[in-house]
């Protein structure tokens, strides 16, 4: 069965679509209803083969998901409006279905997906084998190369205060107060960092333990992290990560 995700903010539409997909022998693994919920889910779960994606969600356009994350799944857009069709097809789009979804049009879209279905082989290399046999021996990144004009600057992990994203860019903040633009994204950086040293407190920040100066209670059972060498925007631990953050501190 094909692992499939539904992102739709209208519950009746989501339930109807799920019934239609299950009739077509698709495995609906989850149903999400907002941009924020989708961003959080994609960061914690393996991306499915296929996504049915409503364009207008309760907290914005679903295109915002692609501005912040790299999504490898195939996508079938569902919407009551056709004004976003061109932008949709610039993404990983298989088809564009108008609501209410017609059963024959759905079948045609799924047939198109199956004809062009990417092969997802199980790749198993020696690095994965070592990690499975000895997870504690994983080599995390200890040094980062930053381009400053025509020069390359090497920064060791112990010099870092945090990594953060701002205006679609990713930055490395040093303990000397300087920040540098990076080519990587936080999503790509996170698995390269030693989890004993670094923790991703929300979508915008990864902080280093040694550079935490203070932790203050914030509203809705959240926490605010204050760093020794960073005075930019407030760093708030997202509510769903507070428990893991407390465990990490210990």
């Amino acid at each position: 069965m094909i692992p499939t995700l539904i992102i739709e903010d209208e519950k009746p539409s989501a339930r109807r679509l799920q019934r239609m997909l299950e009739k077509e022998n698709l495995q609906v693994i989850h149903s999400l209803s907002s941009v924020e919920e989708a961003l959080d889910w994609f960061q914690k779960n393996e991306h499915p083969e296929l996504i049915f994606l409503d364009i207008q969600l309760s907290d914005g356009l679903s295109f915002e998901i692609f501005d912040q994350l790299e999504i490898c799944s195939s996508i079938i857009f569902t919407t009551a409006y056709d004004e976003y069709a061109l932008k949709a097809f610039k993404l990983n789009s298989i088809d564009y279905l108008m609501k209410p979804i017609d059963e024959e049009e759905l079948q045609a879209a799924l047939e198109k997906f199956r004809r062009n279905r990417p092969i997802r082989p199980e790749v198993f290399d020696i690095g994965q084998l070592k990690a499975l046999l000895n997870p504690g021996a994983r080599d995390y990144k200890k040094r980062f190369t930053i381009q400053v004009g025509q020069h390359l600057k090497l920064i060791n992990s112990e010099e870092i205060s945090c990594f953060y994203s701002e205006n679609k860019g990713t930055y490395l903040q040093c303990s000397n107060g300087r920040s540098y633009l990076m080519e990587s994204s936080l999503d790509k950086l996170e698995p390269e960092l030693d989890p004993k040293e670094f923790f991703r407190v929300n979508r915008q920040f990864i902080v280093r333990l040694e550079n935490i100066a203070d932790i203050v209670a914030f509203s809705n059972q959240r926490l605010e992290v204050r760093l020794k060498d960073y005075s930019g925007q407030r760093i708030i631990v997202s509510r769903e990560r507070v428990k893991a953050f407390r465990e990490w501190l210990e």
Side-chain angles (χ1 to χ4, degrees):
M1 295 179 74
I2 300 168
T4 305
L5 177 69
I6 295 174
I7 305 179
E8 164 65 69
D9 65 342
E10 297 176 0
K11 290 186 178 179
S13 297
R15 287 194 294 266
R16 178 175 180 267
L17 178 56
Q18 180 166 347
R19 289 194 298 270
M20 295 172 75
L21 296 178
E22 288 173 347
K23 282 176 59 179
E24 298 296 327
N25 202 34
L26 271 70
Q27 178 191 7
V28 177
I29 57 175
H30 206 61
S31 183
L32 307 171
S33 61
S34 68
V35 172
E36 183 178 2
E37 191 179 8
L39 287 169
D40 184 65
W41 190 91
F42 280 120
Q43 291 173 32
K44 296 177 179 176
N45 297 274
E46 182 180 354
H47 296 188
E49 281 194 62
L50 181 61
I51 301 171
F52 279 81
L53 181 61
D54 187 13
I55 290 179
Q56 291 189 315
L57 300 173
S58 57
D59 58 347
L61 298 180
S62 58
F63 297 127
E64 295 173 30
I65 299 169
F66 301 91
D67 291 337
Q68 299 189 50
L69 294 176
E70 183 178 348
I71 307 296
C72 302
S73 312
S74 298
I75 299 164
I76 295 178
F77 284 94
T78 62
T79 183
Y81 308 92
D82 60 3
E83 58 191 285
Y84 301 107
L86 181 60
K87 187 168 184 178
F89 278 111
K90 289 181 179 180
L91 299 169
N92 306 338
S93 178
I94 296 293
D95 213 332
Y96 187 98
L97 301 178
M98 298 295 295
K99 295 180 183 178
I101 296 173
D102 178 80
E103 194 165 341
E104 290 186 1
E105 291 183 354
L106 174 64
Q107 290 172 349
L110 290 174
E111 178 59 32
K112 188 188 299 185
F113 165 74
R114 290 185 175 106
R115 284 200 308 269
N116 299 284
R117 186 180 181 187
I119 298 172
R120 298 179 120 189
E122 292 295 326
V123 179
F124 194 83
D125 60 23
I126 190 65
Q128 291 175 316
L129 179 60
K130 288 179 179 177
L132 285 172
L133 293 175
N134 190 6
R138 178 172 175 179
D139 290 328
Y140 293 102
K141 201 163 184 178
K142 295 294 184 183
R143 187 179 297 110
F144 299 83
T145 305
I146 305 295
Q147 183 161 356
V148 182
Q150 300 299 314
H151 302 273
L152 294 179
K153 182 177 179 63
L154 297 178
I155 299 175
N156 295 323
S157 62
E158 58 265 25
E159 301 175 65
I160 297 169
S161 177
C162 68
F163 299 93
Y164 65 95
S165 61
E166 188 174 81
N167 297 323
K168 299 185 180 181
T170 302
Y171 295 85
L172 181 156
Q173 176 81 22
C174 284
S175 53
N176 63 8
R178 293 200 60 181
S179 62
Y180 301 92
L181 181 64
M182 304 184 69
E183 294 182 359
S184 187
S185 67
L186 291 186
D187 290 327
K188 291 181 179 178
L189 274 172
E190 188 176 7
E192 297 179 341
L193 301 172
D194 187 344
K196 293 180 181 179
E197 286 190 71
F198 295 92
F199 187 89
R200 187 165 187 176
V201 295
N202 56 37
R203 295 200 305 268
Q204 290 180 282
F205 281 91
I206 298 175
V207 300
R208 183 167 172 264
L209 179 62
E210 293 299 320
N211 283 74
I212 294 177
D214 198 7
I215 302 169
V216 184
F218 197 68
S219 63
N220 294 325
Q221 299 180 330
R222 293 177 295 171
L223 299 170
E224 179 182 353
V225 176
R226 296 174 183 172
L227 301 177
K228 298 174 185 176
D229 310 289
Y230 177 80
S231 58
Q233 55 187 309
R234 298 178 91 174
I235 305 174
I236 308 299
V237 183
S238 60
R239 190 163 47 196
E240 64 273 11
R241 299 185 185 181
V242 167
K243 182 180 178 182
F245 178 69
R246 289 178 182 272
E247 292 173 351
W248 177 70
L249 291 173
E250 296 172 0

